[in-house]
Amino acid sequence: HTPKEAAQIMLDAGCKVDDVSAYPGTGKTWPGRCTNCGLRTKTSLGNIKNGHGPCKPCAMSEADSAFDYFGPALLYFIEHEQLNHFKLGIMGTETNRLREHKSKGWSVIETWDFDYGYEANYVEQYCLELIEDAGVPNRVKKKEMPQGGHKETFKRGHFEREDVFSLVLSEIEKERWP
């Protein structure tokens, strides 16, 4: 495919690529944005041609998942003193997710209730994207979080509690979910 043809295939699947001329080939990720929700995407033309959607949060909200995207949910903000990290995460209101984190040394700072899991998911993803864009370094290593969730962690000091509260409240107010 030419870059222009490849970009059109991506767009038809719901991903507007950032730079058509930077087409990396079929098997490598091509940065863009989901045309449904506006989140950054990390997918390849090969994945699109194999029937995968460009946006994980959008695909997950439409998939049969253990997380109930259409039931009540929480967005939680926790911290770990020894690891010197914060974490944003989501959970169904009837799960033990926070108990799992607490058992591994994490403490709860705040939770926010949502009528639907997909709303909590989008707020979490937009906040994490903004934190990443700000250049906050270091995720907790996977082995340091056997309960899972290391990809949603970020080092304290670059963002303080108040900064994270502001981000979350701003995203809740914007209601940017599709």
mmCIF file with all atom_site columns, all heavy atoms in Angstrom, residues 80 83 104 106 139-151 153:
data_model
loop_
_atom_site.group_PDB
_atom_site.id
_atom_site.type_symbol
_atom_site.label_atom_id
_atom_site.label_alt_id
_atom_site.label_comp_id
_atom_site.label_asym_id
_atom_site.label_entity_id
_atom_site.label_seq_id
_atom_site.pdbx_PDB_ins_code
_atom_site.Cartn_x
_atom_site.Cartn_y
_atom_site.Cartn_z
_atom_site.occupancy
_atom_site.B_iso_or_equiv
_atom_site.pdbx_formal_charge
_atom_site.auth_seq_id
_atom_site.auth_comp_id
_atom_site.auth_asym_id
_atom_site.auth_atom_id
_atom_site.pdbx_PDB_model_num
ATOM 1   N N   . HIS A 1 80  ? 1.664  4.028   46.828 1.00 0.00 ? 80  HIS A N   1
ATOM 2   C CA  . HIS A 1 80  ? 2.515  3.083   47.540 1.00 0.00 ? 80  HIS A CA  1
ATOM 3   C C   . HIS A 1 80  ? 3.746  3.842   48.020 1.00 0.00 ? 80  HIS A C   1
ATOM 4   O O   . HIS A 1 80  ? 4.543  4.328   47.214 1.00 0.00 ? 80  HIS A O   1
ATOM 5   C CB  . HIS A 1 80  ? 2.927  1.943   46.607 1.00 0.00 ? 80  HIS A CB  1
ATOM 6   C CG  . HIS A 1 80  ? 3.462  0.743   47.313 1.00 0.00 ? 80  HIS A CG  1
ATOM 7   N ND1 . HIS A 1 80  ? 4.674  0.748   47.968 1.00 0.00 ? 80  HIS A ND1 1
ATOM 8   C CD2 . HIS A 1 80  ? 2.930  -0.492  47.473 1.00 0.00 ? 80  HIS A CD2 1
ATOM 9   C CE1 . HIS A 1 80  ? 4.880  -0.452  48.489 1.00 0.00 ? 80  HIS A CE1 1
ATOM 10  N NE2 . HIS A 1 80  ? 3.842  -1.227  48.206 1.00 0.00 ? 80  HIS A NE2 1
ATOM 11  N N   . LEU A 1 83  ? 7.296  2.150   47.109 1.00 0.00 ? 83  LEU A N   1
ATOM 12  C CA  . LEU A 1 83  ? 7.576  2.184   45.674 1.00 0.00 ? 83  LEU A CA  1
ATOM 13  C C   . LEU A 1 83  ? 7.609  3.611   45.129 1.00 0.00 ? 83  LEU A C   1
ATOM 14  O O   . LEU A 1 83  ? 8.038  3.834   44.002 1.00 0.00 ? 83  LEU A O   1
ATOM 15  C CB  . LEU A 1 83  ? 6.538  1.358   44.902 1.00 0.00 ? 83  LEU A CB  1
ATOM 16  C CG  . LEU A 1 83  ? 6.518  -0.144  45.197 1.00 0.00 ? 83  LEU A CG  1
ATOM 17  C CD1 . LEU A 1 83  ? 5.363  -0.809  44.452 1.00 0.00 ? 83  LEU A CD1 1
ATOM 18  C CD2 . LEU A 1 83  ? 7.843  -0.793  44.833 1.00 0.00 ? 83  LEU A CD2 1
ATOM 19  N N   . LYS A 1 104 ? -0.992 -5.544  49.088 1.00 0.00 ? 104 LYS A N   1
ATOM 20  C CA  . LYS A 1 104 ? 0.367  -5.409  48.552 1.00 0.00 ? 104 LYS A CA  1
ATOM 21  C C   . LYS A 1 104 ? 0.995  -4.070  48.916 1.00 0.00 ? 104 LYS A C   1
ATOM 22  O O   . LYS A 1 104 ? 1.984  -3.647  48.322 1.00 0.00 ? 104 LYS A O   1
ATOM 23  C CB  . LYS A 1 104 ? 0.368  -5.571  47.023 1.00 0.00 ? 104 LYS A CB  1
ATOM 24  C CG  . LYS A 1 104 ? -0.207 -6.883  46.533 1.00 0.00 ? 104 LYS A CG  1
ATOM 25  C CD  . LYS A 1 104 ? 0.600  -8.073  47.009 1.00 0.00 ? 104 LYS A CD  1
ATOM 26  C CE  . LYS A 1 104 ? 0.029  -9.353  46.430 1.00 0.00 ? 104 LYS A CE  1
ATOM 27  N NZ  . LYS A 1 104 ? 0.551  -10.538 47.054 1.00 0.00 ? 104 LYS A NZ  1
ATOM 28  N N   . TRP A 1 106 ? -0.474 -0.891  48.978 1.00 0.00 ? 106 TRP A N   1
ATOM 29  C CA  . TRP A 1 106 ? -1.053 0.323   48.406 1.00 0.00 ? 106 TRP A CA  1
ATOM 30  C C   . TRP A 1 106 ? -2.109 0.864   49.364 1.00 0.00 ? 106 TRP A C   1
ATOM 31  O O   . TRP A 1 106 ? -2.820 0.104   50.018 1.00 0.00 ? 106 TRP A O   1
ATOM 32  C CB  . TRP A 1 106 ? -1.681 0.031   47.044 1.00 0.00 ? 106 TRP A CB  1
ATOM 33  C CG  . TRP A 1 106 ? -0.676 -0.308  45.998 1.00 0.00 ? 106 TRP A CG  1
ATOM 34  C CD1 . TRP A 1 106 ? -0.120 -1.540  45.755 1.00 0.00 ? 106 TRP A CD1 1
ATOM 35  C CD2 . TRP A 1 106 ? -0.075 0.579   45.066 1.00 0.00 ? 106 TRP A CD2 1
ATOM 36  N NE1 . TRP A 1 106 ? 0.782  -1.450  44.727 1.00 0.00 ? 106 TRP A NE1 1
ATOM 37  C CE2 . TRP A 1 106 ? 0.832  -0.170  44.280 1.00 0.00 ? 106 TRP A CE2 1
ATOM 38  C CE3 . TRP A 1 106 ? -0.205 1.943   44.820 1.00 0.00 ? 106 TRP A CE3 1
ATOM 39  C CZ2 . TRP A 1 106 ? 1.592  0.400   43.266 1.00 0.00 ? 106 TRP A CZ2 1
ATOM 40  C CZ3 . TRP A 1 106 ? 0.545  2.510   43.807 1.00 0.00 ? 106 TRP A CZ3 1
ATOM 41  C CH2 . TRP A 1 106 ? 1.429  1.746   43.037 1.00 0.00 ? 106 TRP A CH2 1
ATOM 42  N N   . ARG A 1 139 ? 7.261  3.535   35.357 1.00 0.00 ? 139 ARG A N   1
ATOM 43  C CA  . ARG A 1 139 ? 6.163  2.707   35.846 1.00 0.00 ? 139 ARG A CA  1
ATOM 44  C C   . ARG A 1 139 ? 6.753  1.735   36.845 1.00 0.00 ? 139 ARG A C   1
ATOM 45  O O   . ARG A 1 139 ? 7.925  1.394   36.793 1.00 0.00 ? 139 ARG A O   1
ATOM 46  C CB  . ARG A 1 139 ? 5.565  1.886   34.704 1.00 0.00 ? 139 ARG A CB  1
ATOM 47  C CG  . ARG A 1 139 ? 4.764  2.679   33.724 1.00 0.00 ? 139 ARG A CG  1
ATOM 48  C CD  . ARG A 1 139 ? 4.159  1.730   32.712 1.00 0.00 ? 139 ARG A CD  1
ATOM 49  N NE  . ARG A 1 139 ? 3.343  2.463   31.784 1.00 0.00 ? 139 ARG A NE  1
ATOM 50  C CZ  . ARG A 1 139 ? 3.147  2.094   30.530 1.00 0.00 ? 139 ARG A CZ  1
ATOM 51  N NH1 . ARG A 1 139 ? 3.722  1.012   30.068 1.00 0.00 ? 139 ARG A NH1 1
ATOM 52  N NH2 . ARG A 1 139 ? 2.383  2.803   29.751 1.00 0.00 ? 139 ARG A NH2 1
ATOM 53  N N   . VAL A 1 140 ? 5.915  1.255   37.738 1.00 0.00 ? 140 VAL A N   1
ATOM 54  C CA  . VAL A 1 140 ? 6.327  0.179   38.620 1.00 0.00 ? 140 VAL A CA  1
ATOM 55  C C   . VAL A 1 140 ? 6.585  -1.042  37.732 1.00 0.00 ? 140 VAL A C   1
ATOM 56  O O   . VAL A 1 140 ? 5.877  -1.265  36.754 1.00 0.00 ? 140 VAL A O   1
ATOM 57  C CB  . VAL A 1 140 ? 5.211  -0.118  39.661 1.00 0.00 ? 140 VAL A CB  1
ATOM 58  C CG1 . VAL A 1 140 ? 5.472  -1.396  40.419 1.00 0.00 ? 140 VAL A CG1 1
ATOM 59  C CG2 . VAL A 1 140 ? 5.053  1.038   40.617 1.00 0.00 ? 140 VAL A CG2 1
ATOM 60  N N   . LYS A 1 141 ? 7.580  -1.816  38.071 1.00 0.00 ? 141 LYS A N   1
ATOM 61  C CA  . LYS A 1 141 ? 7.865  -3.029  37.301 1.00 0.00 ? 141 LYS A CA  1
ATOM 62  C C   . LYS A 1 141 ? 6.761  -4.061  37.541 1.00 0.00 ? 141 LYS A C   1
ATOM 63  O O   . LYS A 1 141 ? 6.189  -4.145  38.617 1.00 0.00 ? 141 LYS A O   1
ATOM 64  C CB  . LYS A 1 141 ? 9.216  -3.597  37.708 1.00 0.00 ? 141 LYS A CB  1
ATOM 65  C CG  . LYS A 1 141 ? 10.377 -2.731  37.285 1.00 0.00 ? 141 LYS A CG  1
ATOM 66  C CD  . LYS A 1 141 ? 11.693 -3.352  37.731 1.00 0.00 ? 141 LYS A CD  1
ATOM 67  C CE  . LYS A 1 141 ? 12.879 -2.562  37.235 1.00 0.00 ? 141 LYS A CE  1
ATOM 68  N NZ  . LYS A 1 141 ? 12.980 -1.219  37.756 1.00 0.00 ? 141 LYS A NZ  1
ATOM 69  N N   . LYS A 1 142 ? 6.495  -4.842  36.509 1.00 0.00 ? 142 LYS A N   1
ATOM 70  C CA  . LYS A 1 142 ? 5.439  -5.844  36.576 1.00 0.00 ? 142 LYS A CA  1
ATOM 71  C C   . LYS A 1 142 ? 5.624  -6.772  37.777 1.00 0.00 ? 142 LYS A C   1
ATOM 72  O O   . LYS A 1 142 ? 4.659  -7.109  38.460 1.00 0.00 ? 142 LYS A O   1
ATOM 73  C CB  . LYS A 1 142 ? 5.417  -6.649  35.273 1.00 0.00 ? 142 LYS A CB  1
ATOM 74  C CG  . LYS A 1 142 ? 4.266  -7.585  35.145 1.00 0.00 ? 142 LYS A CG  1
ATOM 75  C CD  . LYS A 1 142 ? 4.252  -8.247  33.787 1.00 0.00 ? 142 LYS A CD  1
ATOM 76  C CE  . LYS A 1 142 ? 3.028  -9.128  33.632 1.00 0.00 ? 142 LYS A CE  1
ATOM 77  N NZ  . LYS A 1 142 ? 2.948  -9.701  32.287 1.00 0.00 ? 142 LYS A NZ  1
ATOM 78  N N   . LYS A 1 143 ? 6.849  -7.156  38.061 1.00 0.00 ? 143 LYS A N   1
ATOM 79  C CA  . LYS A 1 143 ? 7.101  -8.079  39.182 1.00 0.00 ? 143 LYS A CA  1
ATOM 80  C C   . LYS A 1 143 ? 6.795  -7.439  40.536 1.00 0.00 ? 143 LYS A C   1
ATOM 81  O O   . LYS A 1 143 ? 6.583  -8.138  41.522 1.00 0.00 ? 143 LYS A O   1
ATOM 82  C CB  . LYS A 1 143 ? 8.535  -8.592  39.142 1.00 0.00 ? 143 LYS A CB  1
ATOM 83  C CG  . LYS A 1 143 ? 9.590  -7.542  39.421 1.00 0.00 ? 143 LYS A CG  1
ATOM 84  C CD  . LYS A 1 143 ? 10.983 -8.121  39.356 1.00 0.00 ? 143 LYS A CD  1
ATOM 85  C CE  . LYS A 1 143 ? 11.992 -7.022  39.676 1.00 0.00 ? 143 LYS A CE  1
ATOM 86  N NZ  . LYS A 1 143 ? 13.345 -7.500  39.611 1.00 0.00 ? 143 LYS A NZ  1
ATOM 87  N N   . GLU A 1 144 ? 6.761  -6.099  40.587 1.00 0.00 ? 144 GLU A N   1
ATOM 88  C CA  . GLU A 1 144 ? 6.437  -5.403  41.831 1.00 0.00 ? 144 GLU A CA  1
ATOM 89  C C   . GLU A 1 144 ? 4.930  -5.305  42.071 1.00 0.00 ? 144 GLU A C   1
ATOM 90  O O   . GLU A 1 144 ? 4.502  -4.851  43.133 1.00 0.00 ? 144 GLU A O   1
ATOM 91  C CB  . GLU A 1 144 ? 7.050  -3.999  41.832 1.00 0.00 ? 144 GLU A CB  1
ATOM 92  C CG  . GLU A 1 144 ? 8.572  -4.021  41.827 1.00 0.00 ? 144 GLU A CG  1
ATOM 93  C CD  . GLU A 1 144 ? 9.189  -2.652  41.648 1.00 0.00 ? 144 GLU A CD  1
ATOM 94  O OE1 . GLU A 1 144 ? 8.757  -1.894  40.743 1.00 0.00 ? 144 GLU A OE1 1
ATOM 95  O OE2 . GLU A 1 144 ? 10.115 -2.343  42.417 1.00 0.00 ? 144 GLU A OE2 1
ATOM 96  N N   . MET A 1 145 ? 4.150  -5.714  41.077 1.00 0.00 ? 145 MET A N   1
ATOM 97  C CA  . MET A 1 145 ? 2.687  -5.694  41.198 1.00 0.00 ? 145 MET A CA  1
ATOM 98  C C   . MET A 1 145 ? 2.125  -7.033  40.729 1.00 0.00 ? 145 MET A C   1
ATOM 99  O O   . MET A 1 145 ? 1.514  -7.124  39.665 1.00 0.00 ? 145 MET A O   1
ATOM 100 C CB  . MET A 1 145 ? 2.084  -4.549  40.375 1.00 0.00 ? 145 MET A CB  1
ATOM 101 C CG  . MET A 1 145 ? 2.313  -3.192  40.995 1.00 0.00 ? 145 MET A CG  1
ATOM 102 S SD  . MET A 1 145 ? 1.317  -1.907  40.239 1.00 0.00 ? 145 MET A SD  1
ATOM 103 C CE  . MET A 1 145 ? -0.276 -2.213  40.996 1.00 0.00 ? 145 MET A CE  1
ATOM 104 N N   . PRO A 1 146 ? 2.310  -8.087  41.515 1.00 0.00 ? 146 PRO A N   1
ATOM 105 C CA  . PRO A 1 146 ? 1.803  -9.398  41.096 1.00 0.00 ? 146 PRO A CA  1
ATOM 106 C C   . PRO A 1 146 ? 0.284  -9.432  40.926 1.00 0.00 ? 146 PRO A C   1
ATOM 107 O O   . PRO A 1 146 ? -0.242 -10.282 40.217 1.00 0.00 ? 146 PRO A O   1
ATOM 108 C CB  . PRO A 1 146 ? 2.266  -10.330 42.217 1.00 0.00 ? 146 PRO A CB  1
ATOM 109 C CG  . PRO A 1 146 ? 2.526  -9.453  43.383 1.00 0.00 ? 146 PRO A CG  1
ATOM 110 C CD  . PRO A 1 146 ? 2.941  -8.123  42.824 1.00 0.00 ? 146 PRO A CD  1
ATOM 111 N N   . GLN A 1 147 ? -0.408 -8.491  41.527 1.00 0.00 ? 147 GLN A N   1
ATOM 112 C CA  . GLN A 1 147 ? -1.863 -8.404  41.401 1.00 0.00 ? 147 GLN A CA  1
ATOM 113 C C   . GLN A 1 147 ? -2.277 -7.724  40.100 1.00 0.00 ? 147 GLN A C   1
ATOM 114 O O   . GLN A 1 147 ? -3.448 -7.653  39.771 1.00 0.00 ? 147 GLN A O   1
ATOM 115 C CB  . GLN A 1 147 ? -2.472 -7.676  42.612 1.00 0.00 ? 147 GLN A CB  1
ATOM 116 C CG  . GLN A 1 147 ? -2.280 -6.180  42.646 1.00 0.00 ? 147 GLN A CG  1
ATOM 117 C CD  . GLN A 1 147 ? -0.936 -5.708  43.205 1.00 0.00 ? 147 GLN A CD  1
ATOM 118 O OE1 . GLN A 1 147 ? 0.035  -6.440  43.230 1.00 0.00 ? 147 GLN A OE1 1
ATOM 119 N NE2 . GLN A 1 147 ? -0.884 -4.467  43.651 1.00 0.00 ? 147 GLN A NE2 1
ATOM 120 N N   . GLY A 1 148 ? -1.315 -7.223  39.329 1.00 0.00 ? 148 GLY A N   1
ATOM 121 C CA  . GLY A 1 148 ? -1.599 -6.565  38.052 1.00 0.00 ? 148 GLY A CA  1
ATOM 122 C C   . GLY A 1 148 ? -1.816 -5.077  38.199 1.00 0.00 ? 148 GLY A C   1
ATOM 123 O O   . GLY A 1 148 ? -2.003 -4.562  39.306 1.00 0.00 ? 148 GLY A O   1
ATOM 124 N N   . GLY A 1 149 ? -1.763 -4.364  37.077 1.00 0.00 ? 149 GLY A N   1
ATOM 125 C CA  . GLY A 1 149 ? -2.043 -2.935  37.060 1.00 0.00 ? 149 GLY A CA  1
ATOM 126 C C   . GLY A 1 149 ? -0.828 -2.037  36.978 1.00 0.00 ? 149 GLY A C   1
ATOM 127 O O   . GLY A 1 149 ? -0.950 -0.824  37.110 1.00 0.00 ? 149 GLY A O   1
ATOM 128 N N   . HIS A 1 150 ? 0.347  -2.593  36.726 1.00 0.00 ? 150 HIS A N   1
ATOM 129 C CA  . HIS A 1 150 ? 1.569  -1.783  36.729 1.00 0.00 ? 150 HIS A CA  1
ATOM 130 C C   . HIS A 1 150 ? 1.594  -0.717  35.639 1.00 0.00 ? 150 HIS A C   1
ATOM 131 O O   . HIS A 1 150 ? 2.227  0.311   35.800 1.00 0.00 ? 150 HIS A O   1
ATOM 132 C CB  . HIS A 1 150 ? 2.815  -2.677  36.621 1.00 0.00 ? 150 HIS A CB  1
ATOM 133 C CG  . HIS A 1 150 ? 3.038  -3.258  35.272 1.00 0.00 ? 150 HIS A CG  1
ATOM 134 N ND1 . HIS A 1 150 ? 2.280  -4.306  34.782 1.00 0.00 ? 150 HIS A ND1 1
ATOM 135 C CD2 . HIS A 1 150 ? 3.920  -2.918  34.313 1.00 0.00 ? 150 HIS A CD2 1
ATOM 136 C CE1 . HIS A 1 150 ? 2.696  -4.586  33.568 1.00 0.00 ? 150 HIS A CE1 1
ATOM 137 N NE2 . HIS A 1 150 ? 3.686  -3.774  33.252 1.00 0.00 ? 150 HIS A NE2 1
ATOM 138 N N   . LYS A 1 151 ? 0.872  -0.910  34.556 1.00 0.00 ? 151 LYS A N   1
ATOM 139 C CA  . LYS A 1 151 ? 0.904  0.056   33.452 1.00 0.00 ? 151 LYS A CA  1
ATOM 140 C C   . LYS A 1 151 ? 0.174  1.353   33.769 1.00 0.00 ? 151 LYS A C   1
ATOM 141 O O   . LYS A 1 151 ? 0.339  2.340   33.069 1.00 0.00 ? 151 LYS A O   1
ATOM 142 C CB  . LYS A 1 151 ? 0.324  -0.570  32.184 1.00 0.00 ? 151 LYS A CB  1
ATOM 143 C CG  . LYS A 1 151 ? 1.213  -1.639  31.598 1.00 0.00 ? 151 LYS A CG  1
ATOM 144 C CD  . LYS A 1 151 ? 0.643  -2.169  30.314 1.00 0.00 ? 151 LYS A CD  1
ATOM 145 C CE  . LYS A 1 151 ? 1.549  -3.223  29.722 1.00 0.00 ? 151 LYS A CE  1
ATOM 146 N NZ  . LYS A 1 151 ? 0.990  -3.783  28.487 1.00 0.00 ? 151 LYS A NZ  1
ATOM 147 N N   . THR A 1 153 ? 0.565  2.980   36.643 1.00 0.00 ? 153 THR A N   1
ATOM 148 C CA  . THR A 1 153 ? 1.283  3.613   37.747 1.00 0.00 ? 153 THR A CA  1
ATOM 149 C C   . THR A 1 153 ? 2.179  4.721   37.224 1.00 0.00 ? 153 THR A C   1
ATOM 150 O O   . THR A 1 153 ? 2.579  4.713   36.063 1.00 0.00 ? 153 THR A O   1
ATOM 151 C CB  . THR A 1 153 ? 2.145  2.584   38.518 1.00 0.00 ? 153 THR A CB  1
ATOM 152 O OG1 . THR A 1 153 ? 3.145  2.065   37.649 1.00 0.00 ? 153 THR A OG1 1
ATOM 153 C CG2 . THR A 1 153 ? 1.294  1.465   39.082 1.00 0.00 ? 153 THR A CG2 1
#
